[in-house]
Amino acid sequence: MTKLFDSRLADVIRKPVITEKATNALDLNQYTFEVDHRAAKPQIKAAVEALFSVKVIGVNTMNPPRRTRRVGKFSGKRSQVKKAIVRLAEGDKIQLFPES
């Protein structure tokens, strides 16, 4: 296991993913996050548990290929994105949407 994020677990999670599919998964106590593409499952689990004070049961990750972007005659690649679906223990919650 890489020791890249051991001292700074807050850098593992970039942002929550808010899509229709991810919102429907909230009913099953599953939360979707965009994470650093170098992070491993144990690091993602430790980061979620440390940041949100919850118990994580499982972590599933997706690392799709990079997309090519073209602007005129110049082509390049978009940044690498890795998604993690985190399953929480019964009774635990993460407040993604602040109540006003």
Side-chain angles (χ1 to χ4, degrees):
M1 182 168 89
T2 178
K3 298 190 185 275
L4 183 67
F5 297 106
D6 286 346
S7 62
R8 49 197 164 91
L9 287 175
D11 292 339
V12 173
I13 297 176
R14 290 186 180 168
K15 62 183 178 180
V17 175
I18 309 298
T19 60
E20 186 175 358
K21 186 175 181 179
T23 307
N24 289 337
L26 293 177
D27 296 335
L28 302 172
N29 218 11
Q30 295 177 347
Y31 294 84
T32 307
F33 296 101
E34 183 179 310
V35 297
D36 192 283
H37 71 278
R38 299 167 292 183
K41 288 181 182 183
Q43 294 167 340
I44 295 169
K45 179 180 177 179
V48 171
E49 287 179 345
L51 290 175
F52 300 109
S53 303
V54 293
K55 175 72 176 144
V56 175
I57 293 177
V59 177
N60 294 346
T61 59
M62 295 168 260
N63 205 1
R66 295 177 69 183
R67 305 258 178 172
T68 303
R69 173 92 171 141
R70 211 180 140 87
V71 178
K73 66 178 182 176
F74 304 103
S75 66
K77 299 264 188 187
R78 289 187 180 177
S79 60
Q80 183 112 14
V81 175
K82 185 176 191 177
K83 289 193 290 187
I85 299 175
V86 178
R87 211 169 340 123
L88 300 183
E90 200 65 38
D92 285 342
K93 276 189 172 179
I94 296 175
Q95 188 68 29
L96 291 180
F97 307 107
E99 297 181 18
S100 23

